[in-house]
Amino acid sequence: MDGKKLEYKGEEALRELEKLTERTGEVQVNLLKDILMKNKNTEYLNKYMKEPTEVTTFKRLVPVVTYADIQPYIQRIANGEDSSLISGQTITEMLRSSGTSAGEQKLMPSIAEDLDRRTFLYNLIMPIMNQYVPGLDKGKAMYLYFVKSETPTPSGIPTRPVLTSYYKSKHFKCRPPDPFNDYTSPDQAILCTDNRQSMYCQLLAGLVHRHQVLRLGAVFASAFLRAISFLERNWVHLCNDIRTGSLDSTTIVDPGCRTAMSDVLRSPNPLLADEIEAICRCKSWKGILCQLWPRAKYIEAVVTGTMAQYIPALNFYSGGKLPLVCTMYASSECYFGVNLNPLCDPAEVSYTLLPNMGYFEFIPLGDNGRLLLMMDAGNEEEVVPVDKLVDLAHVRPGCYYELVVTTFAGLYRYRIGDVLQVTGFYNRAPQFRFICRRNVVLSIDTDKTNEEDLHKSVSMAKKLLEPYNALLVEYTSYADTSTIPGHYVLYWEVLHLQHSSTTNGVVSLFDAHLLPECCSTVEESLDYVYRRCRAYDKSVGPLEIRLVGAGTFDALMDLCISQGGSINQYKTPRCIKSAAGLELLNSRVKACFFSPRDPTWIP
Ligand code: AMP
C-alpha cells in the first residue's frame, strides 16, 4: 500500500470516507486479496493454504484464533526469527495491548504502514467534528496524552502501547501545523515518560491557555478524570508557577519538559494565577471545567463500553454543560472506526467500521436484538466453525457479533474479544454499538455475568446513593470462591460531593440499610440464572459490597501501570483476578455489606 494514498485531510478526507463506505464489500474483498498477496509466503498462511492468494480458500481453511494460538509465532519473532513467519512486511514494533493472556501482556505485531492507516483515521476526526461544531480552528485543544517507556524484545524490536507508538512517530511529531489540531500540550510534555511530570506540564499549559481552549479531552474518560483529580491536588503549585512565571524546579526535572514549558511560561502572570486560584478554591468543583476553560465546547474521550460509568463524574465536573464526544473505536490489533454522529448521547454512540482498516468478519452471537450466546473465558478455547463467520458487508441490523480481524501485519481471523451490535448503516458500511468485552465475566456456579449485565445492575444500585449526595466513582468485582458457596464481591469507591463537617469517615454518612439495599438491588438486576442460583439452587451466596477508601482505584491503576500498562489505554478491570490487585483492594476496605435477602426468582 502506498502511504500517500491515505494522506487525506479536511473535505478530501470526507469524500474518501463517502467512497469507502459506498463500496464497503468491494473494498473489503480487495483489501483481503491485497493482504493475501503480500503475505502469501508466510509460514502461517502456508500452513493452512496451498494457494495462499485465494480468497475462497482463505475463507474455507484459515481458522478463527485467539491470542494463545498466535502467541508462539509472536514469541519466535520477538526472539529474532524473521517477520515472514506471519507477515510479508517487516514487523517494526510489537504493540502492548491492555489485554492479557494467561497472565502475560499481549503483544500485537505492527508494520510501518500501519501508522498511515491510523493517521488516516485520525485525519477524519476533525472534518467530522467540524460538521457539527464550527469554529474549532479558532482556538486550542487541551488533550492530555501520555506515553509509556518502551522495552525491546530479545531481538531488539521495540514493544510499546499503540498510542505511544503514534505519539513517537513522525506522523505525530512532524505533523504539519493545522489550526484544527492546535494542542495546548507541548509535544515534549506529551513525550515525557514520567507520567507525573507530563501531567503537571500538560495541565499547566492548559491553564495558561485557558481562554483559547475550545475542547478538552483524553483518550479514555478515566484518564481525563485522573487529570482532574491531579489538578485538585496540585492547583496551588500550578498557580504558583503561573504567578512567578517559572516552573517548579524540584519536581519538574525532565529537560524536554523544562525547555518546552519555558516557552509557555514566558513571564509572571499574577492576574491569571489569581483567577485560577479563585475558581479552584471553591468548595464544590461541580461545573469547574466550564469555569476554568470558559470557551470549551465539548469533552472528547471514550465513554462507551466500560468507560460509560464515568459519564456522571464527567457531567458533574462540567455541570452537565459540555457534550461528551466519543470519536473513535480502535485497538492495538487494528483501528476500527469512527462515530459519524459525535454529538449524540453517549448511550447512542455507534461506530462506522472503515473498510480499509483491516479485513473484518463477525461471529454471530444472537438475533433480533437478543444476545443469545454468552461468550465467556471458557469459550476462548472453543473452535469457531469458519462457515459461521459473516462478512462486514453482510451483518444484519439488531444482531450481535464478536469482531474478528485479519491484518497486513499478520493476524489472521483473530478474535478481538469485543461484542458489538449492528445499529444501522452509513451508505453500505455497518455501524456498531460497543456492547462489552467478551472475556469479562463473573461466575460461581452455572451463572455467568458479563460486563454489560454487571454494569447495568451496578447502575441500578448506585441510584440509591443519590439522595445521600454520593457518587459511585469506580467499581470492580471479584468472584469470591474462598467460601462455600462462593459469592460475588463488588469493590465500590464512593465520593461524597458535599463534605459534612460531622463526617467521620466514609461509612458514617450512610444509614445502616443503604449498602445492603444496594447489594440487593444489584442482585435483583442480575439475570435469571444468577437469581436461580441464589434463591433456589443456593449455589451462590449473598452478594457483598466492600467499600474502599478514596484513591483506591487510582492506586489500582498505578499498580497496573507499574506492571507495564499504559496510562492512556488503562481501563479499570471490571473483574479482578490478579492476586496483587485483590490484595491492594482488600487492604483498603473500610466496611463490608451483604445482601440481606434472596433475590426474586420465579420458576
Ligand atoms: P488496547 O488493545 O489496549 O488498545 O484496547 C483495545 C480495546 O479497548 C478494544 O478492543 C475495546 O475493547 C476497547 N475500546 C477501544 N475503543 C473503544 C471505544 N470507543 N468504546 C469502547 N471500548 C473501546
Side-chain angles (χ1 to χ4, degrees):
M1 182 194 55
D2 176 4
K4 288 216 168 52
K5 276 197 209 154
L6 289 172
E7 284 176 15
Y8 299 101
K9 296 209 99 179
E11 288 293 317
E12 208 193 343
L14 292 179
R15 277 197 296 277
E16 186 58 20
L17 176 71
E18 285 302 306
K19 276 199 235 158
L20 286 169
T21 52
E22 269 159 11
R23 296 167 35 236
T24 298
E26 197 186 325
V27 174
Q28 281 277 279
V29 171
N30 288 339
L31 182 123
L32 180 57
K33 280 186 186 157
D34 199 13
I35 293 177
L36 295 179
M37 187 53 80
K38 287 191 166 131
N39 295 353
K40 65 177 182 228
N41 294 325
T42 56
E43 181 178 317
Y44 190 93
L45 281 183
N46 280 282
K47 180 173 158 193
Y48 296 106
M49 302 162 69
K50 283 216 176 69
E51 283 181 68
T53 52
E54 279 296 315
V55 165
T56 43
T57 332
F58 173 87
K59 294 216 164 186
R60 208 160 33 87
L61 297 178
V62 175
V64 178
V65 295
T66 63
Y67 192 74
D69 301 303
I70 57 157
Q71 197 271 344
Y73 290 88
I74 307 265
Q75 200 52 56
R76 282 168 64 192
I77 296 170
N79 290 344
E81 283 191 57
D82 202 82
S83 302
S84 65
L85 286 180
I86 57 170
S87 178
Q89 292 167 80
T90 305
I91 289 167
T92 47
E93 49 188 354
M94 292 285 188
L95 302 178
R96 294 203 302 257
S97 137
S98 57
T100 54
S101 173
E104 298 280 318
Q105 240 183 338
K106 293 179 180 172
L107 293 182
M108 297 301 167
S110 182
I111 55 179
E113 67 176 34
D114 284 338
L115 278 161
D116 299 328
R117 266 182 283 276
R118 289 179 206 125
T119 305
F120 172 80
L121 194 145
Y122 284 127
N123 284 348
L124 280 172
I125 306 298
M126 287 318 287
I128 294 169
M129 283 313 304
N130 190 41
Q131 295 177 314
Y132 295 89
V133 187
L136 292 172
D137 53 342
K138 306 284 183 299
K140 292 178 179 291
M142 189 191 79
Y143 284 179
L144 303 152
Y145 291 147
F146 302 93
V147 296
K148 182 82 191 152
S149 60
E150 54 187 64
T151 43
T153 66
S155 67
I157 304 172
T159 73
R160 49 196 168 204
V162 63
L163 294 161
T164 297
S165 151
Y166 183 70
Y167 302 138
K168 284 185 156 185
S169 73
K170 66 173 181 2
H171 294 66
F172 179 77
K173 287 201 292 194
C174 308
R175 63 197 181 278
D178 176 356
F180 280 103
N181 275 321
D182 180 4
Y183 301 119
T184 54
S185 296
D187 286 5
Q188 291 97 318
I190 293 173
L191 293 168
C192 170
T193 46
D194 178 322
N195 289 149
R196 195 193 171 277
Q197 294 186 59
S198 171
M199 176 81 89
Y200 189 95
C201 294
Q202 294 195 57
L203 280 171
L204 186 55
L207 290 170
V208 167
H209 295 296
R210 60 184 282 258
H211 290 294
Q212 286 119 64
V213 168
L214 298 183
R215 49 206 173 102
L216 306 170
V219 178
F220 287 105
S222 51
F224 189 73
L225 285 170
R226 194 167 159 89
I228 300 177
S229 113
F230 187 93
L231 185 61
E232 276 185 286
R233 282 176 275 124
N234 291 285
W235 61 265
V236 174
H237 289 291
L238 291 161
C239 287
N240 248 352
D241 290 0
I242 296 173
R243 185 178 308 286
T244 58
S246 64
L247 191 64
D248 182 338
S249 60
T250 49
T251 52
I252 309 302
V253 293
D254 178 80
C257 282
R258 293 203 67 84
T259 316
M261 293 311 288
S262 64
D263 264 359
V264 176
L265 289 174
R266 288 225 181 93
S267 52
N269 196 339
L271 221 66
L272 180 64
D274 284 346
E275 278 172 26
I276 298 168
E277 241 181 61
I279 296 168
C280 293
R281 251 185 227 296
C282 274
K283 235 183 164 174
S284 166
W285 272 38
K286 186 167 190 217
I288 189 133
L289 296 175
C290 296
Q291 292 176 48
L292 287 174
W293 293 283
R295 291 176 64 205
K297 297 183 181 191
Y298 62 88
I299 302 172
E300 181 178 335
V302 170
V303 285
T304 43
T306 56
M307 295 291 147
Q309 50 138 351
Y310 299 109
I311 294 170
L314 288 173
N315 285 337
F316 171 78
Y317 289 112
S318 75
K321 291 198 186 105
L322 296 175
L324 304 178
V325 171
C326 262
T327 55
M328 58 186 275
Y329 168 42
S331 77
S332 311
E333 294 88 337
C334 181
Y335 276 27
F336 304 124
V338 291
N339 175 6
L340 295 175
N341 186 13
L343 293 186
C344 71
D345 188 276
E348 302 294 317
V349 170
S350 287
Y351 299 101
T352 305
L353 258 56
L354 301 178
N356 61 339
M357 289 288 118
Y359 185 68
F360 300 126
E361 292 173 283
F362 298 85
I363 306 170
L365 296 181
D367 252 327
N368 306 327
R370 236 167 70 80
L371 187 54
L372 291 178
L373 186 60
M374 297 312 274
M375 307 298 276
D376 63 17
N379 284 17
E380 274 215 348
E381 274 107 58
E382 173 200 66
V383 176
V384 178
V386 289
D387 58 356
K388 287 262 181 301
L389 292 184
V390 179
D391 292 335
L392 180 64
H394 295 113
V395 294
R396 291 191 296 135
C399 295
Y400 290 88
Y401 298 94
E402 185 191 326
L403 178 59
V404 170
V405 298
T406 297
T407 67
F408 285 94
L411 299 177
Y412 304 94
R413 298 191 137 170
Y414 177 80
R415 289 170 70 173
I416 293 292
D418 289 348
V419 177
L420 310 175
Q421 184 187 25
V422 182
T423 52
F425 287 83
Y426 180 76
N427 292 327
R428 291 181 173 200
Q431 302 182 296
F432 296 88
R433 190 161 70 95
F434 182 92
I435 301 295
C436 61
R437 268 186 99 98
R438 180 200 61 221
N439 53 359
V440 181
V441 293
L442 280 175
S443 176
I444 299 283
D445 186 31
T446 49
D447 61 297
K448 283 188 178 56
T449 300
N450 71 5
E451 191 176 337
E452 194 189 23
D453 284 353
L454 179 66
H455 186 65
K456 270 194 200 144
S457 313
V458 169
S459 299
M460 294 296 289
K462 74 179 182 186
K463 288 190 188 137
L464 303 184
L465 300 176
E466 283 165 14
Y468 295 81
N469 249 324
L471 193 72
L472 178 65
V473 281
E474 263 294 14
Y475 73 90
T476 189
S477 66
Y478 171 61
D480 185 347
T481 48
S482 65
T483 54
I484 299 175
H487 68 293
Y488 287 14
V489 175
L490 302 179
Y491 293 91
W492 278 23
E493 185 177 325
V494 173
L495 170 80
H496 289 132
L497 303 181
Q498 276 155 15
H499 291 272
S500 136
S501 52
T502 56
T503 309
N504 179 19
V506 172
V507 189
S508 60
L509 274 185
F510 301 122
D511 75 54
H513 301 293
L514 177 63
L515 280 146
E517 273 317 305
C518 289
C519 295
S520 186
T521 305
V522 173
E523 293 203 306
E524 289 293 353
S525 314
L526 288 172
D527 74 8
Y528 177 91
V529 180
Y530 174 86
R531 285 180 284 113
R532 189 196 63 208
C533 288
R534 272 279 287 124
Y536 184 76
D537 298 341
K538 302 281 179 197
S539 52
V540 178
L543 183 139
E544 178 183 4
I545 289 178
R546 294 184 190 162
L547 265 193
V548 292
T552 300
F553 279 84
D554 274 351
L556 183 67
M557 174 165 165
D558 290 339
L559 177 76
C560 295
I561 288 169
S562 73
Q563 292 175 343
S566 150
I567 191 167
N568 288 302
Q569 286 160 265
Y570 178 79
K571 297 171 266 306
T572 300
R574 285 293 152 244
C575 180
I576 295 280
K577 298 210 166 84
S578 91
L582 280 172
E583 197 184 316
L584 183 147
L585 289 167
N586 286 329
S587 71
R588 310 267 182 135
V589 171
K590 301 274 181 217
C592 305
F593 304 88
F594 287 88
S595 182
R597 57 185 170 273
D598 288 353
T600 321
W601 180 72
I602 300 155

